[in-house]
């Protein structure tokens, strides 16, 4: 069974880089993309999803509350991508049910590690020093 990933982001370069990281792990992965958080519900209803990667600062997401909506719509892990590290946002996303939180400035290896951990059923939350932590 191939991996199915939903990327919710509005920046083409980031989408391309995330797609590459996923395909390095699973070359036959199915990747669906939307820049509209509200469209994610329809996409989730139509197909099995193994991982959701969502940009936290999308205009229509409503930040952490939007992450909570996603986690209630599916059992797939949600990995949050933020433009800058924010301890309050990290904790709010964890409370909303996200499986992970990394920043756009995180290195390629860290994002790849976060993807691997959440796909394996774990949780990956990076600190401002890019060290994985479990939120308290």
């Amino acid at each position: 069974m191939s991996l199915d990933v939903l990327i919710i982001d509005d920046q083409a370069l980031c989408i391309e880089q995330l797609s590459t990281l996923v395909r390095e792990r699973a070359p036959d992965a199915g990747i669906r993309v939307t820049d509209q958080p509200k469209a994610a519900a329809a996409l989730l209803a139509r197909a099995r999803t193994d991982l959701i990667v969502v940009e936290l600062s999308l205009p229509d997401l409503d930040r952490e509350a939007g992450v909570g909506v996603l986690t209630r719509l599916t059992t797939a892990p949600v990995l949050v991508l933020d433009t800058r590290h924010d301890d309050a946002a990290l904790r709010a996303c964890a409370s909303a049910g996200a499986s992970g939180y990394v920043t756009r400035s995180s290195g390629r290896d860290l994002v790849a590690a976060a993807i691997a951990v959440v796909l394996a059923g774990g949780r990956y939350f990076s600190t401002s020093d890019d060290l994985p932590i479990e939120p308290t």
Side-chain angles (χ1 to χ4, degrees):
M1 183 183 326
S2 73
L3 183 67
D4 187 59
V5 178
L6 174 60
I7 298 173
I8 308 169
D9 202 323
D10 61 354
Q11 294 189 18
L13 184 59
C14 189
I15 292 166
E16 182 180 325
Q17 291 170 338
L18 288 167
S19 297
T20 298
L21 284 175
V22 168
R23 288 212 169 98
E24 285 174 358
R25 177 179 175 78
D28 60 343
I31 298 176
R32 292 171 293 144
V33 176
T34 183
D35 62 355
Q36 302 294 317
K38 292 178 182 173
L43 292 170
L44 290 168
R46 283 195 293 249
R48 176 184 60 84
T49 302
D50 300 303
L51 173 67
I52 300 168
V53 181
V54 60
E55 165 56 50
L56 190 60
S57 64
L58 288 171
D60 293 336
L61 184 62
D62 194 21
R63 297 195 49 89
E64 297 86 359
V67 171
V69 169
L70 289 172
T71 62
R72 287 189 298 277
L73 289 173
T74 181
T75 59
V78 175
L79 177 62
V80 175
L81 186 64
D82 205 351
T83 53
R84 61 181 169 23
H85 182 82
D86 179 337
D87 284 328
L90 180 150
R91 297 201 189 301
C93 288
S95 293
S99 296
Y101 175 99
V102 294
T103 62
R104 285 194 186 273
S105 62
S106 298
R108 174 181 174 73
D109 292 341
L110 190 138
V111 175
I115 289 170
V117 168
V118 299
L119 280 171
R123 294 166 50 94
Y124 194 107
F125 292 84
S126 70
T127 66
S128 57
D129 297 325
D130 284 339
L131 300 172
I133 62 163
E134 184 69 29
T136 55

